[in-house]
Amino acid sequence: MDKKDILGLIPARYASTRFPGKPLADIGGKPMIQRVYENVSLALPNVCVATDDIRIARAVSSFGGRYVLTSSDHRSGTDRCAEALTKVEAEDGQNYQVVINIQGDEPFIRPEQVNLLASAFDSDKVQIATLVKKIDTPDDLLNPNKPKVVVSCLSDALYFSRQPIPYLRSEPDVNKWLSMHTYYNHIGLYAYRTRVLHHLTKLAPGILERAESLEQLRWLENGYSIRVLTTTLESLSVDTPADLEALRMRGLIK
């Protein structure tokens, strides 16, 4: 697919419960949102921040980025992306074919990851796509904040869970599971065909989503397929001030 038909959207809220003002947090002398924007722009010609806060809008404008203001009432980044898509298409006078939703708290997102996700739509059958990474440590396998994915032989997601899945009944020691089966962490980077994106925003939360607090389960419950692509690149998101300090301790930022 021609990259000109793909719109990269970065939803960014100021009022984060765990980290207020997170998109403006300093990452090596630049606000986090600028780091995300610049890295995504290395892969896509059309990138826009979707925000409900004028402070974030001003920050984006200050480094020459593009933004659209969206409602503060959206339940999710997916809903915010749908509104932003409508506004950007009206401004550009063009209909995009695919939207890539890049989290605003991924300052180390790599253009290779964005390109990999975009490549999924070379197939007309793909409705939604996302990335996974092989789990290498028991800590990641057992961490409920790192959702796991079971993948079909057709490379589509079968299920997402905060628990290690599948459960290896024959081996009671979870620490041995990684040597017996390949497990995958989900990386929260999504891409959707634009017609599918608009349909997703009309779906009510489902039983599985409410159980696991994972929005993508709503899509599976309603019969949508999610193509899974595997990356070897680490995902370093910043959810809390402690995450930011941990990155400093690792020497990844100053």
Side-chain angles (χ1 to χ4, degrees):
M1 175 174 289
D2 194 317
K3 290 286 188 68
K4 292 183 293 185
D5 293 324
I6 300 175
L7 176 63
L9 288 175
I10 308 171
R13 295 174 59 249
Y14 189 92
S16 168
T17 303
R18 291 183 292 179
F19 195 168
K22 178 170 62 174
L24 303 182
D26 184 87
I27 305 286
K30 295 181 180 181
M32 187 185 309
I33 194 66
Q34 182 175 355
R35 294 284 181 186
V36 179
Y37 192 100
E38 290 177 345
N39 288 339
V40 175
S41 295
L42 293 174
L44 300 176
N46 300 301
V47 181
C48 185
V49 173
T51 185
D52 59 356
D53 194 281
I54 192 63
R55 289 165 288 190
I56 295 174
R58 287 171 179 158
V60 174
S61 181
S62 71
F63 64 76
R66 183 181 186 181
Y67 70 87
V68 290
L69 287 171
T70 57
S71 170
S72 59
D73 297 328
H74 291 305
R75 297 175 300 174
S76 68
T78 303
D79 293 340
R80 193 176 305 282
C81 280
E83 181 190 354
L85 169 65
T86 299
K87 290 188 172 182
V88 171
E89 287 186 328
E91 291 178 3
D92 292 352
Q94 121 170 47
N95 292 321
Y96 291 96
Q97 300 302 307
V98 169
V99 164
I100 297 183
N101 176 355
I102 303 100
Q103 302 299 317
D105 59 4
E106 293 270 359
F108 299 100
I109 188 72
R110 298 276 291 275
E112 297 95 323
Q113 293 172 299
V114 179
N115 285 329
L116 176 61
L117 197 56
S119 71
F121 294 89
D122 291 339
S123 168
D124 294 335
K125 296 180 180 179
V126 174
Q127 299 176 313
I128 307 167
T130 195
L131 298 183
V132 299
K133 183 179 181 293
K134 181 182 175 182
I135 297 176
D136 296 316
T137 68
D139 285 346
D140 280 356
L141 181 64
L142 298 173
N143 187 344
N145 294 318
K146 293 190 173 184
K148 270 59 72 173
V149 193
V150 173
V151 183
S152 78
C153 60
L154 299 177
S155 297
D156 288 332
L158 291 173
Y159 192 73
F160 297 81
S161 179
R162 296 186 182 278
Q163 294 293 324
I165 51 174
Y167 179 88
L168 297 189
R169 185 178 179 183
S170 63
E171 176 50 68
D173 187 353
V174 176
N175 292 309
K176 295 181 180 179
W177 284 10
L178 293 180
S179 65
M180 302 172 64
H181 181 81
T182 300
Y183 288 85
Y184 295 101
N185 271 334
H186 178 226
I187 295 177
L189 189 67
Y190 296 108
Y192 338 76
R193 292 202 185 274
T194 52
R195 65 178 184 275
V196 172
L197 173 58
H198 288 302
H199 290 161
L200 297 180
T201 62
K202 297 177 174 64
L203 301 175
I207 295 172
L208 299 177
E209 177 188 4
R210 288 194 293 267
E212 298 257 18
S213 294
L214 295 173
E215 180 190 14
Q216 61 271 33
L217 291 175
R218 184 190 319 180
W219 311 338
L220 292 182
E221 270 191 278
N222 283 274
Y224 288 94
S225 61
I226 305 175
R227 179 60 48 86
V228 171
L229 299 99
T230 303
T231 178
T232 58
L233 299 174
E234 187 175 3
S235 177
L236 298 171
S237 61
V238 178
D239 294 320
T240 67
D243 291 337
L244 198 58
E245 184 58 31
L247 291 175
R248 290 194 178 99
M249 294 293 291
R250 292 175 60 180
L252 295 175
I253 59 174
K254 296 180 180 179

